Amino acid sequence: MKISRIDHLGIGVQSIEEVLPYFENVLGLKCYAVEEVADQKVKTAFLMVGETKIELLEPTSPESAIAKWLEKGGKGVHHVAFAVEDGVAEALVEAEGKGIRLIDKEPRLGAENMMIGFLHPKMTAGILTELCEPKKG
């Protein structure tokens, strides 16, 4: 797998509306997109820091992974997303071949029209790891 950069840091929040002023008014960042990803039961907001994005993740349902993570006391960084040059599908196969437990066996569509796949944090030093690439076509 060829990692080219950190694409984004996903930060779990109870309310984007409540935390966005910190990022915009204190840190001087600008939110450039807000999007709901219905199948993941999450609302996202994106901000740029150089070439890396910050993705704020707000649950839209108590059944969402973010809601469950927050309920268990999760705060701050939820996941680190790495851009892969050789494709998410190939990277997932390679990771599984190296003994890494996958959350996603196949890539799925995420926010910003990205194909994504997650590696299980029990296998990745406790860090929920997302692999991503722009959707082709």
Side-chain angles (χ1 to χ4, degrees):
M1 140 179 16
K2 186 170 181 185
I3 301 289
S4 61
R5 63 187 166 78
I6 292 176
D7 183 78
H8 67 272
L9 298 175
I11 299 175
V13 300
Q14 291 289 349
S15 167
I16 289 171
E17 185 177 304
E18 288 179 15
V19 301
L20 201 52
Y22 165 70
F23 288 94
E24 292 189 319
N25 300 336
V26 176
L27 299 180
L29 304 176
K30 174 94 172 100
C31 177
Y32 68 85
V34 176
E35 175 182 351
E36 185 169 331
V37 184
D39 70 323
Q40 294 177 36
K41 300 177 180 79
V42 69
K43 178 179 168 183
T44 65
F46 286 92
L47 307 103
M48 289 297 298
V49 180
E51 294 183 15
T52 304
K53 297 176 275 190
I54 293 178
E55 177 188 31
L56 303 177
L57 300 146
E58 173 187 318
T60 58
S61 166
E63 290 83 39
S64 75
I66 294 296
K68 292 174 184 175
W69 181 75
L70 289 167
E71 187 177 292
K72 291 179 183 175
K75 290 182 181 177
V77 176
H78 175 262
H79 66 270
V80 177
F82 294 98
V84 293
E85 292 183 3
D86 46 357
V88 174
E90 294 83 357
L92 291 171
V93 168
E94 182 179 335
E96 188 172 42
K98 293 179 177 177
I100 300 297
R101 186 169 142 200
L102 306 179
I103 292 175
D104 297 303
K105 294 275 190 185
E106 299 288 328
R108 59 186 161 113
L109 188 61
E112 292 199 308
N113 208 34
M114 297 286 276
M115 295 308 295
I116 64 171
F118 283 92
L119 308 181
H120 200 286
K122 287 186 178 178
M123 305 296 293
T124 58
I127 302 162
L128 180 59
T129 303
E130 178 181 354
L131 306 173
C132 64
E133 68 176 329
K135 182 180 176 189
K136 295 174 176 80

